[in-house]
Amino acid sequence: MKKHLMYKISAVTIMLFLASCLFIQTTGAIDETPKIILTSTAAISDEQLSGDVNGDSKVNMTDIIILQQVISKIVTPNDTMTVCGDVDENGAINMSDVVITQRYLAKQISSLPYDAEKEALILRSLTINNSSINLMPNDTYKLSYTFSPTTAVVKLNWTSSDNSVATVDNTGRVTAISSGRAFIMAKSDNGVTSTCSVLVKSPATSVILSNDKVTLGLGEPYTLSATVDDDHYANSYTYTSSNRSILYVDKNTGQVYTVATGTAKVTCTADTGATGVCTITVKTAPTGVTLNTDYMEIGVDESYTFLYEIQGGYDNNPKFESSNSAIGKIDEKTGRLVGVSDGVIMIRVITYNEVAAYCTVVIREEPTSVSLSKNSLTYGVGEMYQFSIEFSENTYARYYYYESSNPSVVKVDKWSGKMEAVGAGTAIVSVNVYNGINDSCMINVKNAPSAILISPSVINVHAGQYANVSYALPSDCYADEYRYQSSNTAIATVDAKTGRIETKSSGTCDIIVSVYNGVTATCKLTVAPAISKAEEILESVNAERAKYGVAPLTLNSAATAASQIRARELASSYSHTRPNGTSCFTALSDQGLKCISSAENIGYGYIYTQDVAQAWIDSPDHHKNMINAEYTQMGVGYYEKDGSTFWSEFFVRLK
């Protein structure tokens, strides 16, 4: 392990060490003590400065370094050093000379060589004993001061920064003139100064009370306080009541004691004669108190401020309390609660006459993440959306708010999260939680639809069959909110969102699609009378054959009987081989049919004929059978067992 030792040395010490190194020269063996020998044969000049040991006509840090080297015997002094370095003139160079020279450089003494008697007469520091005083006009005050050294000769010049506020004479006596502030300065001949702030105030002409109108409950404690504005003064106040049968007041403290309901005035009189009045209305004591909620949740570090209502009387300032301040702290006056840690507490609000109400508060860990119900949306101008949020597991936040990056495109209610698209463009809606976490949703707003197309626009089906419709909008328009509806639900119903039509009976009706701004389109639906499933399959097959220019088929009753048998057999063995092990085509011969050619399509799980027919169309091998021009007739069978459906169709060309 590496260890470090640290120490601190002064800048002067470093300079001394560096200077010492610069002056060292080695003579002789390596183990000899290095020394510097300075010699001079010149006579000492009469103009040589005391302290100027290197003879450069000035006293500076170099001279102090040389003195240190002389004392350490690194340097052998010559005559000039001995004379000029002995600044205290005691006949030797020692640390006293170093200290005196340092004090000279620091301007703590005035000259070298050091003359203690002379220095004792020079003023070094001055302090006016009052840094500030308050006076009334025409008041006078004699400022006093301290100085060092105490032997110094002190001659001061006193001045005021503003003689219209306060003046000062040559003895330091201040005379207050008018309201305002002035600064009194004392300055010595050698430039040492000290200052005192003088604030001059006029006698108060009015009293400012803590309230000029108060309502109290009978027996409620209350204390008035008084002051005056900053430009005036008052030293004492006396309080009196206009009606002691309603309330009385302590004349010195302003403590109010209510006796009966009614109204009385408390007058506060200052020693300057100024007054202030508070009107106090006394009402009956509270008979009850309620909080705005009896249960709530907040997160750790989240705050909430309770509201209360007094019943049957009045309380000027009920008190709030927490059952456990380690879980939740509450301000007893404002009712502001702050969650401290995970847990459950009871909050109580109590009146002066001990009527109380309670609220259970659950404080949960603060969220580490928040998720909006959508992270991207496309809407049309005028559409609305309601955002919701989720917090990380087992956490909670009561305070969060929504905001939009571009209110000209998207507006969002700060607290509810209800959004409205107001202009084409893009905007980001974000949710911000009290502890700084957030989430956002990118919203693309397009123009409101000016037109809408429905497809297909005409549908012909039989009763019992279904159909599908869809809609399209111009590319620069959008609608998230749309719905399909039928003009006659006795004939057909339609799913409001998917557009799937279920036919009920024969007739005609309209299938209408509408978007949020009222634009609509209509599909004409004609429902023919119901036909058998075999006939429905035949229609589907012939419609597909017509696409390929192939002649239509007709139903053969014997082939249909054979298909019906096969549909039943499929429920037990889903295969083109019959349960007895013979080919599926034996079902045709069992019905007395003699075929030149034949084919079978089977299917299961389809409820509607349209679905099974479409499945056969989508399958290449089944589709070949359906459009094969070799066949001229067909049969269809359908069987349902235990909720499952089975289908069979034979295609035949008879001999």
Side-chain angles (χ1 to χ4, degrees):
M1 178 183 290
K2 292 183 177 180
K3 295 183 177 179
H4 297 274
L5 296 177
M6 300 181 68
Y7 60 91
K8 183 177 181 181
I9 59 177
S10 70
V12 172
T13 303
I14 294 172
M15 292 178 65
L16 289 172
F17 172 75
L18 292 175
S20 299
C21 294
L22 291 173
F23 279 101
I24 292 174
Q25 68 178 20
T26 58
T27 58
I30 194 169
D31 60 344
E32 288 186 0
T33 302
K35 292 184 179 181
I36 295 177
I37 307 298
L38 298 179
T39 60
S40 174
T41 58
I44 298 174
S45 169
D46 292 336
E47 297 179 355
Q48 183 70 47
L49 296 173
S50 178
D52 179 21
V53 294
N54 66 349
D56 63 355
S57 300
K58 54 188 175 183
V59 180
N60 52 29
M61 284 299 301
T62 302
D63 301 298
I64 294 176
I65 292 171
I66 295 173
L67 287 176
Q68 292 275 19
Q69 292 173 331
V70 170
I71 294 170
S72 302
K73 297 183 180 180
I74 295 173
V75 172
T76 300
N78 55 28
D79 292 341
T80 301
M81 290 182 182
T82 301
V83 174
C84 295
D86 183 19
V87 294
D88 61 358
E89 298 183 333
N90 66 353
I93 295 177
N94 50 35
M95 283 304 298
S96 174
D97 300 299
V98 173
V99 173
I100 291 172
T101 305
Q102 288 175 329
R103 291 182 62 197
Y104 171 75
L105 293 180
K107 298 183 179 181
Q108 294 179 357
I109 59 177
S110 60
S111 63
L112 294 176
Y114 178 68
D115 185 337
E117 292 183 1
K118 177 182 176 183
E119 292 297 329
L121 300 177
I122 299 174
L123 180 67
R124 298 298 176 191
S125 68
L126 174 68
T127 303
I128 296 177
N129 292 333
N130 301 86
S131 61
S132 64
I133 58 174
N134 296 329
L135 300 175
M136 296 177 288
N138 300 319
D139 280 355
T140 61
Y141 187 86
K142 179 68 165 63
L143 293 173
S144 61
Y145 55 88
T146 56
F147 58 91
S148 68
T150 58
T151 56
V153 176
V154 179
K155 183 179 180 182
L156 300 178
N157 179 38
W158 295 87
T159 58
S160 170
S161 65
D162 191 341
N163 287 320
S164 67
V165 174
T167 61
V168 61
D169 64 16
N170 57 10
T171 68
R173 182 174 296 280
V174 178
T175 301
I177 304 300
S178 63
S179 297
R181 186 182 295 275
F183 295 92
I184 304 301
M185 175 184 288
K187 184 175 183 180
S188 68
D189 289 343
N190 64 336
V192 180
T193 64
S194 183
T195 303
C196 171
S197 172
V198 178
L199 180 62
V200 180
K201 294 184 177 182
S202 300
T205 58
S206 63
V207 173
I208 303 171
L209 290 173
S210 50
N211 279 296
D212 58 6
K213 185 180 293 186
V214 175
T215 301
L216 301 174
L218 185 60
E220 183 178 3
Y222 184 76
T223 300
L224 279 169
S225 60
T227 187
V228 295
D229 62 57
D230 292 341
D231 295 329
H232 296 84
Y233 77 92
N235 296 313
S236 62
Y237 305 94
T238 302
Y239 299 87
T240 57
S241 169
S242 65
N243 191 337
R244 292 174 62 87
S245 64
I246 294 175
L247 62 86
Y248 64 93
V249 60
D250 186 293
K251 68 176 183 178
N252 296 317
T253 66
Q255 175 74 51
V256 175
Y257 302 89
T258 58
V259 179
T261 60
T263 301
K265 293 182 178 181
V266 172
T267 300
C268 176
T269 303
D271 58 343
T272 63
T275 61
V277 177
C278 175
T279 301
I280 299 178
T281 300
V282 182
K283 296 187 176 182
T284 57
T287 58
V289 61
T290 59
L291 286 169
N292 57 316
T293 180
D294 59 6
Y295 176 86
M296 65 168 297
E297 300 180 24
I298 62 172
V300 171
D301 291 332
E302 190 172 10
S303 65
Y304 177 80
T305 300
F306 284 94
L307 302 176
Y308 66 90
E309 185 177 344
I310 303 294
Q311 284 92 36
Y314 194 84
D315 186 338
N316 186 61
N317 191 21
K319 180 180 179 182
F320 290 90
E321 299 171 342
S322 168
S323 63
N324 190 338
S325 294
I327 296 176
K329 293 182 179 179
I330 192 165
D331 187 289
E332 67 174 21
K333 293 183 178 180
T334 66
R336 182 176 183 269
L337 172 69
V338 177
V340 177
S341 63
D342 189 23
V344 181
I345 58 173
M346 187 69 72
I347 294 299
R348 180 174 79 160
V349 60
I350 184 168
T351 64
Y352 68 90
N353 62 337
E354 299 188 348
V355 176
Y358 300 85
C359 175
T360 301
V361 179
V362 178
I363 299 175
R364 297 185 185 178
E365 293 295 335
E366 62 181 303
T368 56
S369 66
V370 60
S371 301
L372 279 168
S373 50
K374 295 286 185 180
N375 290 118
S376 63
L377 287 172
T378 300
Y379 268 62
V381 171
E383 285 194 281
M384 296 185 177
Y385 177 75
Q386 178 63 61
F387 280 104
S388 60
I389 61 171
E390 286 188 3
F391 296 115
S392 47
E393 189 175 1
N394 298 323
T395 64
Y396 186 79
R398 185 181 185 90
Y399 178 80
Y400 55 88
Y401 65 92
Y402 299 87
E403 61 181 349
S404 169
S405 66
N406 192 344
S408 65
V409 174
V410 171
K411 291 182 179 179
V412 64
D413 185 87
K414 182 176 182 179
W415 305 116
S416 71
K418 187 174 183 179
M419 178 215 81
E420 180 182 4
V422 294
T426 59
I428 296 174
V429 168
S430 59
V431 61
N432 304 283
V433 185
Y434 73 92
N435 63 345
I437 62 172
N438 58 73
D439 194 20
S440 61
C441 174
M442 174 65 74
I443 302 174
N444 181 29
V445 180
K446 294 189 174 184
N447 294 321
S450 56
I452 185 171
L453 297 176
I454 191 168
S455 179
S457 60
V458 176
I459 297 176
N460 295 296
V461 291
H462 291 282
Q465 291 185 311
Y466 74 89
N468 288 294
V469 289
S470 61
Y471 76 92
L473 297 172
S475 60
D476 63 340
C477 299
Y478 192 84
D480 183 73
E481 183 184 339
Y482 66 91
R483 67 187 298 263
Y484 296 96
Q485 58 185 359
S486 170
S487 65
N488 191 335
T489 56
I491 294 174
T493 61
V494 60
D495 186 282
K497 286 299 179 184
T498 66
R500 183 182 174 96
I501 302 168
E502 302 286 350
T503 58
K504 303 296 182 181
S505 62
S506 60
T508 60
C509 67
D510 292 335
I511 301 299
I512 304 163
V513 61
S514 60
V515 291
Y516 68 93
N517 65 339
V519 177
T520 63
T522 301
C523 168
K524 296 294 183 180
L525 174 67
T526 300
V527 181
I531 57 177
S532 68
K533 285 182 170 52
E535 291 173 317
E536 290 180 7
I537 292 291
L538 177 65
E539 281 190 356
S540 297
V541 171
N542 283 337
E544 190 67 16
R545 289 170 72 90
K547 293 178 183 178
Y548 294 89
V550 181
L553 303 176
T554 60
L555 281 176
N556 181 288
S557 60
T560 296
S563 293
Q564 191 63 43
I565 291 171
R566 286 290 297 133
R568 285 179 174 272
E569 291 177 346
L570 292 174
S572 60
S573 177
Y574 188 73
S575 171
H576 288 294
T577 299
R578 301 179 71 181
N580 61 9
T582 61
S583 168
C584 62
F585 300 113
T586 61
L588 292 171
S589 60
D590 288 347
Q591 296 297 318
L593 294 175
K594 295 180 180 181
C595 301
I596 298 174
S597 59
S598 59
E600 181 187 47
N601 284 346
I602 61 175
Y604 81 94
Y606 301 97
I607 297 175
Y608 291 92
T609 58
Q610 293 148 291
D611 293 332
V612 70
Q614 188 62 48
W616 286 329
I617 291 171
D618 293 339
S619 171
D621 290 338
H622 294 83
H623 187 247
K624 287 181 182 179
N625 292 335
M626 296 175 71
I627 63 171
N628 193 330
E630 176 71 15
Y631 305 124
T632 58
Q633 293 179 292
M634 72 176 296
V636 179
Y638 167 81
Y639 179 66
E640 182 177 354
K641 180 181 180 181
D642 299 331
S644 295
T645 56
F646 301 89
W647 300 82
S648 171
E649 61 179 0
F650 275 122
F651 300 95
V652 298
R653 184 179 185 88
L654 300 178
K655 292 181 180 180

